[in-house]
Amino acid sequence: MEARVSQSFQSPAWISSEKIARKSSSSLHFLWTNGERKMNRPPASNNLQTRKDRARRPVLLKVLCSSGNYPASVLESGSLRSSFDESMILQNISEGIEPYLNGRCIYLVGMMGSGKSTVGKVLSEGLGYSFCDCDKLIEQAAGGSTVAEIFKKYGESFFRDSETEALQKLSSMHQLVVSTGGGAVVRPINWRYMQKGISVWLDVPLDALARRITAVGTDSRPLLNQESGDPYSMTMKRLSTLFKERGEAYANADVRVCLEITAAKLGLTDVCKLTPNVIAIELLSQVETFLKKRENGI
């Protein structure tokens, strides 16, 4: 088994730009045919074909300036009244940012449980991009083994090598929203690949992360499922350690989306009450500000 998995990662054939296709679920789906991984190609979505032609509605956004390395653009408090409003705003801002993105990939980085996959799928829908979960690609390349199983069988180093190879292949592609693993930021070479697109840090308070992860369990989190005791306390302790190790690396991202700030602007005290649509809107707003400033040499 180990030989087969290792050979799979040594070959670049398991990811190619010709095998990326957009599905209605905004995820990548691999089929196995004669030992070769192939993408299932559905018919082009009518929604994708007509999105640019739809009339634009006013975007209810308020852009504010902030200090630091991250230009901030946050949602105006009280501007969202329903999920329909959120979808409308996301649609409009997605259309507006297209000329600035120019097909570049968006790489989501952040701690485990920060919502990279959930927000990434919403983001890909709005942009008409494909969604790619690095962990899922690695699992598929390993014959369906979960991340936890890969850690147990082959060790973390093997997983990190596989993660780096996945990012290398993805970096040559376009129009992808990529959800990276929580530890992808610790290797400088991974940043080199992600710099070909736009990197975005989803910055979520550790308390919120601990609550989310504790609610669903830590079995699928090999770096957390190691100690006994009160689940929340143990998770919080381990997350704090990991953040100390990775915090400076996350700050290398082009854009930082601080959920505490976003929640405060909407009058919320709990970041867990932010919907994926709202986070995606804030993310795109900040990405657009970043790209405009870079274009103008600011």
Side-chain angles (χ1 to χ4, degrees):
M1 170 67 178
E2 183 169 1
R4 182 170 67 83
V5 174
S6 298
Q7 183 178 7
S8 171
F9 280 108
Q10 290 168 2
S11 170
W14 68 278
I15 303 179
S16 74
S17 57
E18 296 177 354
K19 295 177 182 178
I20 299 292
R22 188 173 186 277
K23 290 177 62 62
S24 58
S25 62
S26 289
S27 61
L28 297 176
H29 178 62
F30 286 81
L31 298 178
W32 293 83
T33 306
N34 297 326
E36 181 183 0
R37 298 170 178 82
K38 294 186 177 181
M39 295 297 302
N40 181 22
R41 293 179 176 271
S45 166
N46 290 333
N47 185 51
L48 282 177
Q49 294 171 348
T50 61
R51 182 166 61 84
K52 290 183 179 180
D53 298 328
R54 290 199 290 263
R56 295 188 179 184
R57 287 107 173 153
V59 179
L60 303 176
L61 293 175
K62 181 179 182 180
V63 179
L64 303 176
C65 296
S66 72
S67 59
N69 297 328
Y70 303 100
S73 173
V74 295
L75 296 161
E76 183 176 9
S77 179
S79 66
L80 300 180
R81 294 177 297 279
S82 68
S83 59
F84 176 76
D85 290 333
E86 294 174 7
S87 298
M88 294 279 286
I89 294 173
L90 181 59
Q91 172 191 313
N92 277 274
I93 196 169
S94 296
E95 292 173 350
I97 199 175
E98 282 180 341
Y100 300 98
L101 271 178
N102 196 28
R104 278 173 289 197
C105 296
I106 294 178
Y107 294 90
L108 303 180
V109 303
M111 293 283 286
M112 62 181 78
S114 60
K116 298 184 294 291
S117 294
T118 302
V119 174
K121 291 175 184 178
V122 171
L123 197 58
S124 65
E125 279 289 339
L127 292 171
Y129 276 25
S130 292
F131 172 72
C132 212
D133 186 320
C134 259
D135 284 355
K136 296 300 181 184
L137 289 179
I138 295 168
E139 288 176 345
Q140 289 171 351
S145 296
T146 65
V147 170
E149 290 170 342
I150 294 171
F151 266 70
K152 184 176 181 180
K153 292 178 182 178
Y154 311 111
E156 182 176 359
S157 179
F158 175 86
F159 177 83
R160 297 301 172 199
D161 289 342
S162 304
E163 185 173 56
T164 295
E165 183 172 354
L167 288 171
Q168 178 187 19
K169 308 308 175 188
L170 293 171
S171 69
S172 66
M173 302 179 193
H174 298 85
Q175 295 187 328
L176 295 177
V177 174
V178 180
S179 170
T180 67
V185 296
V186 299
R187 285 191 172 185
I189 192 172
N190 292 344
W191 284 108
R192 189 187 311 167
Y193 297 135
M194 291 190 286
Q195 284 171 355
K196 295 182 179 180
I198 308 299
S199 55
V200 180
W201 173 23
L202 292 183
D203 185 7
V204 183
L206 294 182
D207 171 67
L209 294 177
R211 284 187 282 127
R212 288 180 185 177
I213 294 171
T214 303
V216 298
T218 60
D219 290 346
S220 64
R221 312 280 186 180
L223 294 181
L224 294 182
N225 191 30
Q226 298 174 347
E227 301 181 50
S228 59
D230 174 62
Y232 172 83
S233 298
M234 293 298 100
T235 299
M236 186 66 177
K237 178 181 177 181
R238 183 58 177 148
L239 287 175
S240 298
T241 300
L242 288 173
F243 186 75
K244 287 180 181 178
E245 297 170 356
R246 302 171 178 176
E248 290 186 5
Y250 289 134
N252 288 324
D254 296 316
V255 173
R256 173 192 175 210
V257 177
C258 177
L259 267 61
E260 277 189 311
I261 294 176
T262 304
K265 294 298 179 182
L266 290 171
L268 300 174
T269 58
D270 185 356
V271 300
C272 293
K273 293 183 179 179
L274 291 171
T275 67
N277 273 347
V278 166
I279 298 170
I281 291 166
E282 173 66 7
L283 186 156
L284 285 180
S285 179
Q286 291 202 39
V287 167
E288 184 174 11
T289 301
F290 167 78
L291 290 174
K292 286 181 177 178
K293 286 193 172 185
R294 189 164 74 173
E295 186 177 86
N296 294 326
I298 300 176

